[in-house]
C-alpha cells in the first residue's frame, strides 16, 4: 500500500495516494463515480494535454503566466503525450457531463508534475496551481469541448480516412479485374437481369467514395474550437487575442486545420459538430453493413448456397462440424456496424439535450464518437486484409446460375412483348424447362431467334464501373 498525502480543494481535505500525481478533485470523482468500466479514452487525454500545452504557451506569450511556470507545464504535458503518466487518468466516462473532473484531473497532474520539474513538491505546497496556472484563461466548458474536437479530428483524419481509402482501393481493383464477368443480378432477393461482377462491386466502391466525401465535409465544423469562450461563451477572464492565438497554436502543434469557433455560444451549448460528424460515421456503417452482407451472401455455400465468389478461409468455423469455414470477417464487420449505429442514437440524444449555455452529455458523446472511429478503422483494416483482398470469382457457379436464370427472358420484351415473355418464363418455371425449351414449346420464336436475342453479355448495358 502506498502512503497517502493530504490534498485540499474547496470542499476540504482528502487523502490521495502519495505515488499519484492527481489531486483532491480527481480523488473525489474516483470515489463518487464507481460506475462501469469505461474510462476517459487515451485519445481524449492526449487532446486535453495538447490543449493545456497550447494554453500555457499562449498565456506565457501574452505575459499572463510566468515563462518558467509555462515551460514546466509544457514539459509536463509533453510527458503525458509521451505516455509517461498513463496511470494518472483513471476517471470514468460516467461523471459530470461537462467533463470538469477530467479537466481537473489534467490540471492537478500537470500542476504537481510541473512543480516537481521546477524543483518543488507535489501536494499542497506545490509551486504551480491547478486552477490559477494550468487552467488559466479556461473553463471546463471550453476546454473539454476543445479537447473533444481535437481528438475527433485527429482520429478521423489519421486513423479512419486512411483505412477507408485502402478498402476503397482494394474493391476498386476487384471491380476492374472482374469487369467482364457476366453474372445474374438479384433484386428483392429474386433472380433479375444480368450485370457484371465488376459493375456490382463498382457500386460498393461508389458507396465508399460518397462516405469519404460526407466524412470530409463534416471536418470543418469539428475543427472549430470552443477555447476562449470560458464559462458561458463570453470569454470572461481571457485576453482579447487569446482565442485566435490558442487555436492557431493547436493547429500548428497537430498539423490539423483548427480555427477558433466563430460563435462560442454554439460551441459550448451544443455538440452539433460531433452529431453531424457521427452521422457521417453512421452512414459509413450503413454502407459497410450492406457490402459485408453482400459478400457473405455471394460467398455462401460452399455446396448449397449462392457461391458465386470465394473469400479467404482463415480459421475453422465450427467446434462440432468438421471442415466448416464461416464468413467471420463479414460477421465482425456487420456486428461493429450495429454498434456504430447504436452509438449514433446515443450521440443524437446527448446532442439534442443541451440546456441554455452548456451541453452536459460530453464524456458520453466523445466516448461513443471515438469508439465508432476505432471500430470502423480497425474493422475496415481487418475486413480488407483478411477478406476483401482475397475475393475471387467462382466462374463455373456464376455461369451455371446465369444460364439457369429465368429473367434472361427480359431480353425478349422488345421482340415478342411482355405478356408472351412472361408466359415463357412461367411455363419454364412450372415445368422445369430451360427458357429456350419453353419458348420453342410455345412457338413464339425460332431457335435461331432465341440464340440471337437472349445473350446475357449484351444485357449488361454500357454502365461503366
Ligand atoms: O468546470 C467549469 O469550468 C464549469 C462547470 O462545468 C460549470 O459550468 O459548472
Amino acid at each position: 500500500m502506498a502512503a497517502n498525502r493530504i490534498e485540499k480543494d474547496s470542499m476540504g481535505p482528502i487523502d490521495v495516494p502519495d505515488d499519484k500525481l492527481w489531486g483532491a478533485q480527481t480523488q473525489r470523482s474516483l470515489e463518487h463515480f464507481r460506475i462501469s468500466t469505461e474510462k476517459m479514452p487515451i485519445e481524449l487525454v492526449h487532446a486535453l494535454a495538447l490543449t493545456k500545452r497550447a494554453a500555457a504557451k499562449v498565456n506565457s506569450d501574452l505575459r499572463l503566466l510566468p515563462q518558467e511556470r509555462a515551460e514546466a507545464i509544457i514539459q509536463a504535458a509533453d510527458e503525458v503525450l509521451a505516455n509517461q503518466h498513463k496511470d494518472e487518468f483513471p476517471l470514468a466516462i460516467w461523471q459530470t457531463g461537462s467533463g470538469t473532473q477530467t479537466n481537473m484531473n489534467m490540471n492537478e497532474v500537470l500542476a504537481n508534475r510541473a512543480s516537481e520539474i521546477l524543483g518543488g513538491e507535489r501536494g499542497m505546497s506545490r509551486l504551480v496551481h491547478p486552477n490559477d496556472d494550468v487552467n488559466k484563461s479556461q473553463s471546463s466548458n471550453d476546454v473539454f469541448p476543445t479537447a473533444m474536437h481535437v481528438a475527433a479530428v485527429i482520429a478521423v483524419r489519421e486513423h479512419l480516412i486512411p483505412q477507408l481509402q485502402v478498402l476503397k482501393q482494394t474493391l476498386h481493383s476487384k471491380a476492374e479485374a472482374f469487369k467482364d464477368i457476366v453474372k445474374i443480378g438479384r433484386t428483392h432477393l429474386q433472380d433479375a437481369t444480368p450485370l457484371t461482377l465488376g459493375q456490382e462491386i463498382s457500386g460498393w466502391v461508389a458507396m465508399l467514395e460518397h462516405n469519404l466525401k460526407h466524412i470530409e465535409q463534416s471536418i470543418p465544423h469539428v475543427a472549430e474550437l470552443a477555447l476562449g469562450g470560458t464559462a458561458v461563451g463570453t470569454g470572461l477572464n481571457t485576453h482579447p487575442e487569446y482565442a485566435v492565438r490558442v487555436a492557431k497554436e493547436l493547429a500548428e502543434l497537430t498539423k490539423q486545420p483548427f480555427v477558433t469557433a466563430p460563435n462560442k455560444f454554439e460551441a459550448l451549448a451544443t455538440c452539433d459538430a460531433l452529431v453531424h460528424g457521427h452521422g457521417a460515421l453512421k452512414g459509413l456503417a450503413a454502407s459497410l453493413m450492406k457490402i459485408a452482407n453482400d459478400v457473405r451472401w455471394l460467398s455462401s455455400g460452399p455446396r448449397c448456397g449462392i457461391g458465386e465468389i470465394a473469400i479467404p478461409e482463415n480459421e475453422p468455423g465450427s467446434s462440432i462440424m468438421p471442415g466448416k469455414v464461416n464468413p467471420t470477417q463479414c460477421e465482425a464487420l456487420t456486428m461493429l456496424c450495429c454498434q456504430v449505429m447504436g452509438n449514433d442514437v446515443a450521440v443524437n440524444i446527448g446532442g439534442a439535450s443541451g440546456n441554455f449555455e452548456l451541453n452536459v452529455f460530453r464524456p458520453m458523446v466523445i466516448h461513443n464518437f471515438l469508439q465508432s472511429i476505432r471500430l470502423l478503422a480497425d474493422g475496415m483494416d481487418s475486413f480488407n486484409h483478411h477478406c476483401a483482398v482475397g475475393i475471387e470469382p467462382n466462374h463455373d457457379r456464376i455461369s451455371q446460375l446465369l444460364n439457369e436464370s429465368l429473367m434472361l427472358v427480359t431480353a425478349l420484351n422488345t421482340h415478342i412483348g411482355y405478356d408472351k415473355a412472361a408466359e415463357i418464363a412461367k411455363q419454364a418455371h412450372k415445368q422445369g424447362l430451360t427458357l429456350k425449351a419453353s419458348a420453342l414449346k410455345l412457338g413464339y420464336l425460332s431457335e435461331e431467334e432465341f440464340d440471337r436475342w437472349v445473350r446475357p453479355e449484351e444485357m449488361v448495358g454500357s454502365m461503366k464501373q
Side-chain angles (χ1 to χ4, degrees):
M1 284 285 282
N4 287 336
R5 66 174 185 276
I6 305 269
E7 288 258 1
K8 286 189 195 141
D9 59 13
S10 57
M11 309 291 272
I14 185 168
D15 277 356
V16 171
D18 208 17
D19 62 343
K20 295 298 181 227
L21 285 165
W22 70 62
Q25 296 198 40
T26 308
Q27 190 64 35
R28 284 188 211 288
S29 180
L30 264 181
E31 292 175 14
H32 293 159
F33 298 93
R34 296 179 200 271
I35 305 176
S36 191
T37 54
E38 297 79 18
K39 302 293 175 203
M40 207 51 75
I42 188 68
E43 301 96 316
L44 191 276
V45 169
H46 282 177
L48 197 49
L50 280 167
T51 305
K52 295 291 170 185
R53 190 192 197 288
K57 164 88 169 51
V58 173
N59 280 324
S60 162
D61 291 349
L62 292 170
R63 304 197 186 294
L64 299 169
L65 185 65
Q67 190 181 344
E68 197 190 32
R69 234 178 282 170
E71 280 170 2
I73 294 170
I74 288 170
Q75 187 181 326
D78 284 342
E79 290 177 4
V80 171
L81 289 164
N83 285 325
Q84 287 176 27
H85 305 295
K86 54 181 187 300
D87 297 335
E88 295 285 353
F89 303 97
L91 297 189
I93 288 297
W94 319 107
Q95 53 159 283
T96 168
S98 58
T100 295
Q101 289 149 14
T102 288
N103 180 34
M104 283 311 300
N105 184 182
M106 183 64 74
N107 290 336
E108 290 171 346
V109 168
L110 295 186
N112 275 331
R113 181 65 196 124
S115 173
E116 289 176 348
I117 289 166
L118 291 172
E121 25 182 84
R122 62 181 71 180
M124 295 320 294
S125 44
R126 62 187 151 239
L127 304 175
V128 179
H129 196 282
N131 300 79
D132 294 335
D133 296 322
V134 186
N135 203 52
K136 182 175 273 305
S137 318
Q138 300 153 59
S139 159
S140 311
N141 300 355
D142 64 353
V143 162
F144 199 79
T146 297
M148 289 165 73
H149 283 209
V150 168
V153 168
I154 292 174
V156 167
R157 297 190 88 204
E158 295 184 4
H159 301 292
L160 184 76
I161 289 179
Q163 296 301 345
L164 177 49
Q165 278 164 333
V166 170
L167 180 59
K168 188 164 74 69
Q169 184 52 44
T170 298
L171 293 176
H172 175 69
S173 316
K174 297 288 170 188
E176 281 291 309
F178 308 152
K179 68 181 190 317
D180 296 324
I181 301 175
V182 181
K183 68 180 288 283
I184 197 63
R186 295 180 183 85
T187 60
H188 305 259
L189 294 181
Q190 306 291 312
D191 309 350
T193 59
L195 77 170
T196 69
L197 184 55
Q199 286 172 322
E200 190 166 44
I201 295 179
S202 78
W204 306 344
V205 177
M207 288 160 71
L208 296 184
E209 262 157 19
H210 283 298
N211 294 135
L212 181 57
K213 269 191 220 134
H214 298 158
I215 290 166
E216 280 171 343
Q217 283 161 2
S218 74
I219 290 174
H221 192 180
V222 187
E224 289 181 9
L225 301 183
L227 210 57
T230 63
V232 297
T234 56
L236 179 70
N237 291 352
T238 63
H239 186 284
E241 292 173 26
Y242 172 79
V244 169
R245 283 194 186 212
V246 87
K248 190 161 173 275
E249 179 67 21
L250 274 165
E252 277 166 16
L253 276 174
T254 58
K255 313 271 180 286
Q256 301 293 350
F258 293 120
V259 291
T260 193
N263 186 308
K264 302 290 186 298
F265 306 105
E266 180 264 358
L268 269 62
T270 81
C271 287
D272 286 2
L274 293 176
V275 168
H276 179 233
H278 201 282
L281 303 183
K282 186 271 308 287
L284 173 60
S287 296
L288 292 172
M289 184 117 181
K290 185 260 193 291
I291 293 168
N293 271 328
D294 279 359
V295 168
R296 63 175 157 179
W297 275 109
L298 289 175
S299 67
S300 60
R303 293 275 171 97
C304 305
I306 292 176
E308 289 180 349
I309 61 171
I311 57 175
E313 300 189 343
N314 295 325
E315 67 273 316
S318 170
S319 62
I320 185 170
M321 290 173 273
K324 192 167 188 290
V325 181
N326 295 328
T328 46
Q329 290 297 321
C330 300
E331 291 170 14
L333 193 59
T334 50
M335 279 196 291
L336 71 85
C337 289
C338 297
Q339 183 64 53
V340 172
M341 291 182 209
N343 287 353
D344 195 59
V345 174
V347 168
N348 289 341
I349 296 172
S353 306
N355 297 122
F356 307 118
E357 274 61 67
L358 189 65
N359 176 291
V360 289
F361 287 77
R362 295 192 179 279
M364 181 279 291
V365 167
I366 194 63
H367 166 70
N368 280 291
F369 194 97
L370 293 172
Q371 187 196 50
S372 291
I373 289 182
R374 279 192 300 273
L375 287 172
L376 289 167
D378 293 353
M380 286 189 290
D381 184 33
S382 181
F383 182 75
N384 180 62
H385 281 105
H386 302 300
C387 183
V389 293
I391 292 176
E392 290 301 335
N394 183 347
H395 293 280
D396 292 347
R397 183 69 175 155
I398 285 174
S399 31
Q400 181 197 350
L401 291 176
L402 178 66
N403 292 323
E404 282 173 6
S405 157
L406 296 178
M407 286 308 112
L408 297 182
V409 80
T410 311
L412 295 179
N413 283 1
T414 53
H415 300 287
I416 61 171
Y418 182 98
D419 292 339
K420 285 182 178 152
E423 228 184 304
I424 292 172
K426 286 190 169 224
Q427 172 179 272
H429 184 47
K430 274 206 189 104
Q431 298 180 10
L433 302 173
T434 63
L435 267 187
K436 191 199 265 189
S438 179
L440 298 183
K441 192 169 173 190
L442 283 166
Y444 290 146
L445 68 174
S446 69
E447 184 168 2
E448 181 273 324
E449 283 170 329
F450 186 94
D451 291 341
R452 186 150 40 90
W453 292 337
V454 183
R455 302 183 61 170
E457 66 282 6
E458 285 178 11
M459 295 175 72
V460 298
S462 54
M463 294 300 287
K464 290 246 166 42
Q465 55 248 21

